[in-house]
Amino acid sequence: MVEPGLIKAAQAGDGDALISLLREIENHVYRTAYYILNNEQDALDAAQEALIRIYTKIGSYEEKAQFKTWVQRIVTNICIDKFRRNKPTISIDEHDMVFRDSHTVEEEVLSAYAVQDIRKAIDKLPEHHRAVVVLRYLQDFSYNEIADSLDLPLNTVKSYLFRARQQLQTYLHDYQKGGVRG
Amino acid sequence: MNCQEGMEYMQRQLDGDLDERESEALISHTRHCQQCAAMFERLQLLSAGLENLPKVTPPYSLVDAILPRLAELPAAEAVRAPVGERTQKQAERVVPVKRWTDRFSMRAFGGVLAAGVVVGLFLVTYQPDGAAKNDASLFDASSANMAMDSGKQSSSSESQSAPDDSEQNADEEVSTSSADRNTSEPEERAIEPRSKSIAGNDSGGSGSTDKGSVESDTYYVGEKQEKDPEAEAEAEPSQGKGNSPNYNFNITKDPSQESESAGNNGNVEEQMDAIHKQGILGETKNPQDESLSPDENYKAVVVQNELHVYHVADNKLLFISDPVSGGVGAIVWAADSKTLTYEARSDNGTVQMVVVDPEAGTSQVQSP
């Protein structure tokens, strides 16, 4: 949590305060970029761009928004822009959303998913679903905070998060089954 | 509860969004529905997996990595900095502004398009039988000027964009005039007495090679002024100072400017250029005083109560005087060109003689 006093000082033109502020948020900014873009180099670029933007726009931050959601809005916007430039958009509707594995319930031994597998699965999600998941799990944001950050209605946030989780679960489950049997 | 409702409850449960009653309803559903129980288990597993994703940190400090870039940004935004300080900073600045490509593409494209339309209209409507290409090229130059003028007029009401516009138009002039050269330069040279200066530029070729750095520099100036509430008042010093880093830029523009300053040498053209711009921008400042050293190695220019000394060959800014409240008086070069003496007049009427050593970049008040 960033000290409100530090933000005020930075906004008032205290350069050192602004730099300290950036240092406090740089890991958060990077983490979001890393999991949305799923690539270290892109994440480094996007996070630096976001920090520069925060540096230049600090004056436009208004206290009515939470600072952390303001920051995450900046970084997710940059990431989504980058993401759009890098990859063709896929709609989640194109993927199979049906539960199709009910017959295997009993024989399955559930084990924790590997980090790499989760990242691969996240990488298959459309941009906004991905951003919602990242804010929920990597930034520990509430529905409302996600809605503020992404400028989305609350219900949309929930529906994105639910569908994303369902989708991830399907990918991972299929993957795990494939791994066990194949 | 059906399975669809069950799914939503499960999802909300993962986010801790269920109250006690809802949790109980979910539990009683999963107790009876194996499918949903299995799904809930997998979702919980997924959720735990997501929560346990490594909290990655950057391999190096991002803030440290961007510090050099940040150090430039306040300079670009130092709208409230004192004038003297700022002009000095501008003089030292040659680093390109990051997003100039964004700004360039849109604005320059618009400008080039506008000029193209004018030229195109001309070519369509005006078709003299034997009229030489030369006429067309003259028109090109003047239309570029027109475009520049209109750009300035539109921007003078909105002074913040004036430097950008002039820059962009300058670019467009550059492209227009270089196109001219490709098609009609030999004729121009043969027919037009004033095409001499163009030929000189062409053979020199330095205009095009220096364009990149010139662009970035002027963009920098533009950026700065865009954020400057006193942009109008400031237009003149940056313009005057532009004689140093933008020297080549002015030369590149000569082909279009020559119609107004025909037959003049480079320095005078520059002056004309500056005056011309000041006139358009509604400036009322005095024309700049310039003084070339006897060996023509140095040039002293008075810019808003400051004396700037440049190295002529590479336009390097060697010296900036302290602001002189009452104006800079007579500039006298020593015969060996090693020093120059100028009169620094103060508001209360006293006059000091200051000796400047351009190579050393120092000055000394001469004792009376």
Side-chain angles (χ1 to χ4, degrees):
Chain A
M1 189 62 207
V2 179
E3 284 257 334
L6 192 59
I7 301 169
K8 283 220 177 71
Q11 287 191 300
D14 180 342
D16 292 341
L18 184 46
I19 297 293
S20 317
L21 185 63
L22 294 181
R23 287 192 196 285
E24 282 197 30
I25 60 175
E26 77 165 62
N27 284 347
H28 291 280
V29 168
Y30 173 74
R31 205 164 290 158
T32 296
Y34 180 86
Y35 283 104
I36 292 182
L37 297 170
N38 199 24
N39 171 316
E40 187 180 60
Q41 191 52 52
D42 288 350
L44 288 168
D45 292 348
Q48 291 186 23
E49 196 180 331
L51 290 171
I52 290 172
R53 200 173 290 180
I54 290 161
Y55 180 89
T56 54
K57 305 269 185 206
I58 188 71
S60 70
Y61 164 71
E62 290 171 25
E63 263 177 72
K64 64 184 177 193
Q66 278 196 78
F67 186 67
K68 65 176 181 181
T69 59
W70 183 77
V71 166
Q72 291 297 325
R73 172 183 291 216
I74 288 173
V75 63
T76 49
N77 278 337
I78 288 173
C79 289
I80 287 173
D81 279 354
K82 259 190 191 300
F83 182 76
R84 282 184 184 151
R85 261 177 274 141
N86 292 347
K87 305 193 179 182
T89 318
I90 23 160
S91 158
I92 203 163
D93 298 318
E94 288 168 24
H95 299 285
D96 187 1
M97 295 292 288
V98 185
F99 303 19
R100 53 171 146 173
D101 39 351
S102 48
H103 59 284
T104 57
V105 168
E106 278 136 318
E107 58 189 80
E108 260 169 44
V109 180
L110 293 177
S111 55
Y113 297 119
V115 169
Q116 275 314 311
D117 295 348
I118 296 180
R119 283 185 57 198
K120 252 188 248 170
I122 292 176
D123 203 34
K124 292 184 180 176
L125 295 175
E127 58 199 27
H128 274 107
H129 294 70
R130 195 189 282 228
V132 169
V133 167
V134 169
L135 292 182
R136 162 69 180 82
Y137 285 101
L138 277 310
Q139 302 298 336
D140 225 358
F141 275 14
S142 68
Y143 296 149
N144 273 314
E145 287 166 344
I146 298 170
D148 285 348
S149 301
L150 299 177
D151 211 8
L152 291 172
L154 190 61
N155 281 334
T156 309
V157 168
K158 281 192 206 175
S159 114
Y160 281 4
L161 179 61
F162 296 176
R163 296 183 84 181
R165 262 193 308 232
Q166 209 170 324
Q167 191 66 32
L168 289 173
Q169 178 277 135
T170 307
Y171 291 140
L172 288 167
H173 188 62
D174 287 356
Y175 185 80
Q176 201 170 54
K177 267 197 309 187
V180 168
R181 290 182 177 171
Chain B
M1 182 189 283
N2 62 29
C3 290
Q4 205 181 341
E5 285 171 321
M7 183 65 173
E8 191 184 327
Y9 272 49
M10 288 180 223
Q11 293 274 7
R12 288 176 51 203
Q13 176 76 309
L14 296 177
D15 300 319
D17 194 44
L18 290 188
D19 60 29
E20 214 168 296
R21 192 185 50 79
E22 288 168 324
S23 310
E24 275 167 26
L26 176 63
I27 290 168
S28 76
H29 176 74
T30 52
R31 206 173 284 148
H32 299 105
C33 178
Q34 244 186 358
Q35 266 188 35
C36 285
M39 173 58 80
F40 190 38
E41 207 173 333
R42 286 205 300 274
L43 283 175
Q44 284 175 313
L45 196 67
L46 167 73
S47 202
L50 289 167
E51 267 160 22
N52 291 325
L53 280 174
K55 305 279 184 271
V56 290
T57 51
Y60 50 84
S61 163
L62 298 178
V63 174
D64 286 346
I66 59 171
L67 274 179
R69 282 150 86 187
L70 296 184
E72 287 161 16
L73 288 170
E77 290 191 322
V79 280
R80 290 162 214 97
V83 170
E85 198 180 308
R86 189 172 7 179
T87 46
Q88 193 149 357
K89 271 185 199 153
Q90 281 179 353
E92 288 157 6
R93 259 301 283 261
V94 282
V95 190
V97 168
K98 261 128 256 143
R99 284 178 294 115
W100 72 272
T101 44
D102 300 347
R103 302 153 55 82
F104 174 79
S105 54
M106 291 305 290
R107 287 166 176 259
F109 180 72
V112 170
L113 197 70
V117 166
V118 173
V119 172
L121 275 175
F122 171 80
L123 290 176
V124 168
T125 53
Y126 181 63
Q127 292 188 330
D129 16 344
K133 267 181 182 169
N134 184 45
D135 279 351
S137 71
L138 273 180
F139 184 83
D140 277 359
S142 57
S143 72
N145 267 337
M146 278 164 54
M148 184 177 85
D149 287 356
S150 64
K152 287 211 173 112
Q153 274 158 15
S154 66
S155 64
S156 61
S157 58
E158 203 186 315
S159 62
Q160 55 174 25
S161 58
D164 276 339
D165 281 355
S166 61
E167 213 285 319
Q168 162 231 316
N169 283 309
D171 270 348
E172 147 209 330
E173 285 165 42
V174 168
S175 54
T176 320
S177 56
S178 60
D180 285 349
R181 285 180 217 160
N182 291 338
T183 55
S184 60
E185 191 219 317
E187 283 173 41
E188 243 173 46
R189 196 185 302 211
I191 300 168
E192 286 295 312
R194 59 189 170 202
S195 65
K196 224 166 87 188
S197 67
I198 298 179
N201 286 333
D202 285 345
S203 57
S206 64
S208 57
T209 48
D210 286 332
K211 212 178 134 200
S213 63
V214 168
E215 267 172 15
S216 54
D217 188 50
T218 24
Y219 267 105
Y220 165 73
V221 171
E223 178 103 324
K224 195 170 201 169
Q225 292 196 347
E226 187 175 84
K227 291 165 188 157
D228 194 338
E230 306 165 317
E232 205 154 339
E234 287 309 305
E236 201 253 11
S238 67
Q239 198 61 57
K241 187 204 60 62
N243 281 347
S244 124
N246 295 349
Y247 183 78
N248 288 319
F249 158 72
N250 284 335
I251 291 210
T252 328
K253 282 171 57 178
D254 280 349
S256 58
Q257 291 290 337
E258 47 132 14
S259 52
E260 281 147 305
S261 56
N264 287 320
N265 66 26
N267 282 341
V268 182
E269 272 185 51
E270 260 174 51
Q271 242 177 339
M272 293 288 288
D273 193 12
I275 292 164
H276 177 64
K277 282 189 183 140
Q278 284 165 15
I280 287 171
L281 289 168
E283 291 291 331
T284 53
K285 311 277 183 191
N286 295 325
Q288 296 147 12
D289 297 315
E290 287 195 5
S291 172
L292 207 59
S293 67
D295 63 3
E296 300 192 345
N297 274 339
Y298 305 107
K299 184 176 63 173
V301 186
V302 178
V303 181
Q304 240 206 7
N305 296 341
E306 287 178 13
L307 183 77
H308 295 194
V309 182
Y310 300 109
H311 199 263
V312 169
D314 56 7
N315 302 308
K316 202 172 139 202
L317 182 56
L318 300 171
F319 171 80
I320 302 180
S321 73
D322 296 328
V324 183
S325 55
V328 176
I331 302 168
V332 181
W333 283 92
D336 60 2
S337 298
K338 288 209 161 53
T339 59
L340 76 82
T341 311
Y342 69 91
E343 289 179 9
R345 299 184 186 128
S346 66
D347 279 332
N348 56 29
T350 58
V351 177
Q352 279 184 321
M353 301 300 287
V354 184
V355 182
V356 177
D357 180 343
E359 265 324 305
T362 57
S363 66
Q364 206 177 4
V365 176
Q366 209 171 37
S367 36

